[in-house]
Amino acid sequence: MDQILEVRNLNLTLPVPAGELHAVRGVSLEVARRETLCIVGESGSGKSLSAFSFMRLLPRTARIDADRLAFMGQDLLGMSDRDLLSLRGNRMSMIFQEPMTALNPTYTIGDQLTEVMRHHGGASRRQRIDRAIYLLERVGITAAASRLKQYPHQLSGGLRQRVVIAMALMCNPDLIIADEPTTALDVTIQTQILHLLKELQQEFGMAIVLITHDLGVVGRMADRVAVMYAGELVEVGRAEAIFGAPAHPYTQGLLSCIPAPGATPRGSRLGSIPGVVPSLIGRQIGCAFQNRCAHAQEACAASIPLREQDPGHLKRCVLPDPPARSTPVREIAS
């Protein structure tokens, strides 16, 4: 599989009144064609800011640097604003987190869908409309032609989310970054959207980076999983390895919070992670999770690099082996 996205030692710093916020620290990952990488972690872990960094959708005050940040071999950090505009929405697209606000309420669905192809050129008005109708039908919206004349407020949340997905596909991108695309949807619609993304991935051959805090979504979608905590990657590996034998205490804590169908006794107490996420303002030393970890030791106060637990399975932890085996991915996803 050829690499679509390559990230090496990505760092993102934001100025705040109290100093500098080190929101993303030393993130390295890659995504191949037709692969789904899920970036998971609790709120404030740096998931969305990492995704915005990939597309260079950051405030001008943000300071971003990396040893390598490339899309299909093209250097994103050295790319001009003009070249980035030609790339975004064309070869790489984003599905934003909130379908209720991702669409402009003053423009029709048709205008917003066709604007993407109009901006990137190469298609007539008729071709743009035909493409919009085809994709609306493809994402499961009935009477697609008549929907083009409607405004966002005339659609339900589920339909708006489908429109946003169709918009991201208008130019047949190589990479889609989906930032918690099912957060505002009920469970039934959520399942439909996830199934739809998988189908579209196979049809169009695109790579997907899925940002989420929902491990049930990860279980359904992921080929590989990257677990983030306090701006860092703490564990990266195949979904089967992450769910079957989590190597980092934070990953183990996340999985312990989820009931396993048929395995967790009714009325039993689920796990929890004590404490709070540390401040990312100022210099960070040692393991960011050490103040919440039951296995913390003196070595955790020093800098800890990502190291290989098993082939293709990396963790940022001094523990030699995972203390316990967790629930298989198929049970989490059920």
Side-chain angles (χ1 to χ4, degrees), residues 168-215:
L169 293 168
M170 282 296 290
C171 292
N172 196 20
D174 297 288
L175 172 68
I176 282 188
I177 298 173
D179 185 12
E180 305 206 32
T182 60
T183 297
L185 306 178
D186 63 56
V187 175
T188 302
I189 299 299
Q190 180 186 86
T191 302
Q192 293 174 4
I193 293 295
L194 295 177
H195 182 68
L196 171 64
L197 282 173
K198 273 295 189 184
E199 282 189 345
L200 294 173
Q201 181 181 41
Q202 294 306 310
E203 178 177 342
F204 295 102
M206 60 197 179
I208 296 177
V209 175
L210 179 61
I211 313 297
T212 184
H213 63 270
D214 188 335
L215 289 173

Side-chain angles (χ1 to χ4, degrees), residues 10 16 24 87 127 143 185 187 192 216 240 270 301:
L10 173 68
V16 294
V24 178
L87 197 66
Q127 288 173 322
L185 306 178
V187 175
Q192 293 174 4
E240 294 81 5
L270 297 177

Side-chain angles (χ1 to χ4, degrees), residues 28-43:
S28 297
L29 49 82
E30 61 280 326
V31 188
R33 188 175 298 279
R34 295 183 182 274
E35 181 181 40
T36 299
L37 171 71
C38 285
I39 303 179
V40 63
E42 59 193 293
S43 297

Side-chain angles (χ1 to χ4, degrees), residues 109-130:
I109 298 302
D111 285 341
Q112 296 185 65
L113 283 169
T114 57
E115 180 186 15
V116 181
M117 291 185 73
R118 184 170 65 249
H119 173 74
H120 293 289
S124 66
R125 182 176 182 275
R126 184 69 255 171
Q127 288 173 322
R128 295 195 298 267
I129 292 174
D130 288 345

Side-chain angles (χ1 to χ4, degrees), residues 235 246-257 295 319 321-324 326:
E235 189 166 359
H248 195 280
Y250 178 62
T251 312
Q252 296 164 10
L254 289 178
L255 290 171
S256 72
C257 300
H295 307 283
L319 293 177
D321 297 300
S326 190

